[in-house]
Amino acid sequence: MQARPRRILSVWLPRLAIDRWRLGNGLAPGEGADAAPLALIAETAHGPRIDAVNAAGLAAGARSGMMLADARALYPAIQVAPSDPPGDHAFLEKLAVWSLCWGPWSAMDAPDGLLIDMTAVAHLFSGEAELLADARARFAARGLAARFAIAPTAGAAWALSHYGPDGTILSPADDIAACLAELPVASLRLDDAVVAVLRRLGLKRIGDLTGRFGERHGRDALHRRFRARSAVANPLVRMDQLLGKVSEPLLPVVPASMPLVQRRLMEPIRHRELLDSVMADLADDMARELERLGQGARRLELGMWQVDGEVTVRNLELAAATRDAGHIVRLFAARLDDVDAGFGIECVRLRASWAEPLASAQADIEAAAEDSGTSLAALVDRLTVRLGPQAVRRPVLHPSHIPERAQRWQPPLEPEPPQQGELAFHARPLKMLDKAESIAVLYATPDGYPQRFRWRGQVHDVVRVEGPERIAPEWWREKGTARLRDYYRIEDAQGRRYWIYRLGILGDGRGGVPDWFLQGLCA
């Protein structure tokens, strides 16, 4: 049997970051993100740099990769928002899974594209043109600007979607080299440095490569220049991939199936007692399914289908992965009080939309019999369900050398921010004051150890001193006149230990006599 010719659909989302930001802020096309110049910025060592810009920003002169200061010199009123590359990548991954409706597999073309294998699928849409129209309509309905192209190879489809006419369909019988001859060499998916080298050599179009280097001697000359380069830096490899002479490996996106259990009821139920019974059965089924997969649920969705077609959904997020059926039932009990069964509920479904690995553990039988308390994660779950997610906070470490900035409070279900491990070796007091309190210190010299200090009306004699530990101000946050801090761990005559610091150094040009503060109490 003759194999069907391969057909690849390339989808390019040139405004992926801007469109995602607009959707996240609930703006329709033409509102906010399009009406006024907007730039998404990232912090760099040299200052804010533009990662993405909308159409109005492009018209104002801003460009991706430009420093924000240069863009504001062209248009001072440009609006800015922080960029989120990891969020954009996750969004693109979800789009790749969603786009499986047009083919058996799809691959991400990071940072802003998709490649979909639609071989032997077009007849389901009455032709490739109809499939392309369906894809265009679905992306537009989501509020995403996209360009499309269909070709026999991934390289040709990518080149046409990025540099060719939008919606181009290249049939298997067409000559790929001839159809793409007028496209720039940048359409070969090469590094910018390689594109610059080719342009200096006078090779500006794909036709220049196929015409001048199709014969053996010309190809060898180009091969000698780029033979040590990778695929993204070797124009010959990219040309062979574009023409289908060399296969190009693509990594398809495989959707992860979420654990799901359900009950289709023989008779619709309307009473809360029956719903609780069904909920208990679903929780037991979910616990067994999660145990089989070696996972624990972090987010659960309970859907209830009524006879008249109405669907009621209740969501639940957990502080830690669990597959404890009793814990799940207790948490959902508080979410089912306001459920209106209407004419009756005929189907109930429980799905774990977020699950994490959770290994099985052998508990100590005697210790379990004596332990009647509640775990911290279960306590957080109960308080969150009862009081709301915004009413419960937990302290998390924050990467800052300044002690009062080294901790923040956030909701318990949010992931912890990245931490700086190099700060772990610093000894910190057992109790930190909410705000450092001013103290009066006596010392032999302005830069010497403290000998006596007054705090809250009481005088303390210093018998032991450890330090100093110098902490410089955060230059990216503080003004240039901010002073250094020298921290000391001291002990008074009664054996009580304190953590104090001197703000500034005498003669540093940033103020007068240094001030002293007490910031913590040591064990």
Side-chain angles (χ1 to χ4, degrees):
M1 181 181 295
Q2 186 176 2
R4 292 178 179 267
R6 195 179 186 189
R7 308 296 289 160
I8 301 295
L9 169 63
S10 174
V11 183
W12 180 34
L13 304 162
R15 299 174 46 186
L16 176 67
I18 292 292
D19 288 340
R20 176 176 169 270
W21 180 89
R22 175 175 47 77
L23 294 173
N25 288 271
L27 299 176
E31 298 180 5
D34 298 318
L38 171 71
L40 302 182
I41 61 172
E43 294 293 337
T44 66
H46 303 286
R49 177 182 53 82
I50 295 178
D51 273 353
V53 62
N54 66 348
L58 291 173
R63 295 292 183 271
S64 178
M66 178 185 293
M67 302 304 295
L68 179 60
D70 298 334
R72 280 181 169 164
L74 298 174
Y75 191 86
I78 187 171
Q79 301 178 12
V80 297
S83 63
D84 183 18
D88 296 337
H89 188 274
F91 183 68
L92 184 65
E93 187 176 20
K94 293 180 181 179
L95 287 179
V97 175
W98 171 70
S99 63
L100 289 174
C101 59
W102 298 299
W105 64 261
S106 63
M108 296 174 57
D109 181 31
D112 53 7
L114 302 171
L115 294 172
I116 306 167
D117 186 357
M118 44 167 286
T119 305
V121 176
H123 69 281
L124 300 176
F125 296 83
S126 301
E128 294 182 349
E130 289 75 9
L131 185 149
L132 200 62
D134 181 74
R136 189 186 304 278
R138 288 176 179 265
F139 275 92
R142 281 177 165 252
L144 300 173
R147 289 173 54 88
F148 304 86
I150 300 176
T153 65
W158 189 95
L160 289 170
S161 64
H162 285 69
Y163 294 93
D166 184 21
T168 301
I169 299 178
L170 201 62
S171 68
D174 293 334
D175 186 352
I176 298 179
C179 294
L180 276 61
E182 297 300 322
L183 297 184
V185 291
S187 60
L188 291 176
R189 297 173 293 169
L190 298 169
D191 290 340
D192 294 340
V194 178
V195 173
V197 171
L198 293 176
R199 287 175 177 172
R200 285 198 297 267
L201 295 175
L203 306 175
K204 301 180 180 180
R205 302 176 301 111
I206 291 181
D208 296 334
L209 293 174
T210 57
R212 301 182 189 181
F213 298 96
E215 70 279 1
R216 176 180 177 183
H217 298 291
R219 185 179 178 89
D220 290 343
L222 200 60
H223 175 71
R224 285 193 297 271
R225 177 179 287 271
F226 297 99
R227 63 178 178 271
R229 305 292 187 92
S230 60
V232 296
N234 193 322
L236 293 179
V237 174
R238 286 304 197 191
M239 276 295 304
D240 291 341
Q241 291 176 347
L242 181 141
L243 299 176
K245 298 178 180 180
V246 175
S247 61
E248 179 179 358
L250 297 174
L251 183 63
V253 175
V254 179
S257 58
M258 294 291 100
L260 184 147
V261 293
Q262 67 178 4
R263 284 286 190 277
R264 294 186 178 275
L265 307 175
M266 296 182 62
E267 294 290 338
I269 59 175
R270 298 183 58 189
H271 301 290
R272 174 62 187 272
E273 294 79 6
L274 297 177
L275 182 59
D276 290 340
S277 177
V278 174
M279 182 67 232
D281 293 340
L282 289 176
D284 291 336
D285 294 346
M286 177 60 69
R288 286 192 292 268
E289 181 68 15
L290 291 171
E291 184 178 8
R292 182 183 66 83
L293 298 174
Q295 296 179 339
R298 285 294 304 274
R299 183 184 296 117
L300 293 166
E301 297 178 359
L302 179 66
M304 293 160 281
W305 277 258
Q306 300 178 13
V307 176
D308 56 359
E310 293 291 332
V311 180
T312 304
V313 179
R314 292 294 182 268
N315 297 319
L316 183 68
E317 289 196 7
L318 307 173
T322 183
R323 50 174 177 260
D324 184 355
H327 182 54
I328 295 174
V329 171
R330 287 190 295 270
L331 293 179
F332 268 115
R335 296 290 180 90
L336 301 179
D337 293 334
D338 59 342
V339 173
D340 183 7
F343 295 102
I345 299 173
E346 61 179 357
C347 180
V348 185
R349 185 182 69 181
L350 181 63
R351 184 171 74 100
S353 58
W354 176 14
E356 294 180 347
L358 182 62
S360 300
Q362 176 66 48
D364 188 343
I365 299 178
E366 296 181 359
E370 298 176 357
D371 185 11
S372 59
T374 303
S375 67
L376 178 61
L379 175 62
V380 171
D381 291 337
R382 293 182 182 180
L383 292 176
T384 302
V385 170
R386 180 169 297 181
L387 305 177
Q390 302 301 323
V392 184
R393 292 288 187 272
R394 64 167 176 167
V396 295
L397 296 177
H398 181 69
S400 176
H401 291 273
I402 308 300
E404 60 267 24
R405 296 175 184 164
Q407 174 181 296
R408 290 185 177 180
W409 293 84
Q410 70 176 30
L413 300 180
E414 292 186 2
E416 292 190 12
Q419 302 176 5
Q420 290 181 262
E422 60 268 20
L423 301 180
F425 67 89
H426 289 301
R428 292 293 179 255
L430 181 64
K431 180 178 181 180
M432 297 279 291
L433 301 182
D434 292 337
K435 185 178 180 180
E437 299 183 9
S438 178
I439 59 177
V441 173
L442 300 178
Y443 44 84
T445 62
D447 294 333
Y449 291 145
Q451 298 179 351
R452 180 180 300 171
F453 71 95
R454 183 192 303 273
W455 176 52
R456 296 184 177 179
Q458 185 177 358
V459 178
H460 302 263
D461 293 324
V462 179
V463 296
R464 291 183 178 86
V465 180
E466 179 184 347
E469 175 191 345
R470 176 160 292 179
I471 297 180
E474 297 176 338
W475 57 266
W476 60 92
R477 186 191 301 267
E478 306 285 356
K479 296 181 179 180
T481 57
R483 311 187 76 175
L484 298 173
R485 296 184 184 184
D486 284 338
Y487 280 84
Y488 297 88
R489 300 169 67 89
I490 64 174
E491 181 178 334
D492 64 5
Q494 286 74 31
R496 292 170 294 194
R497 307 189 69 191
Y498 306 91
W499 200 44
I500 67 175
Y501 70 89
R502 179 179 59 230
L503 182 62
I505 302 175
L506 189 64
D508 58 5
R510 298 183 178 182
V513 178
D515 296 321
W516 288 84
F517 296 87
L518 189 147
Q519 191 160 20
L521 306 177
C522 302

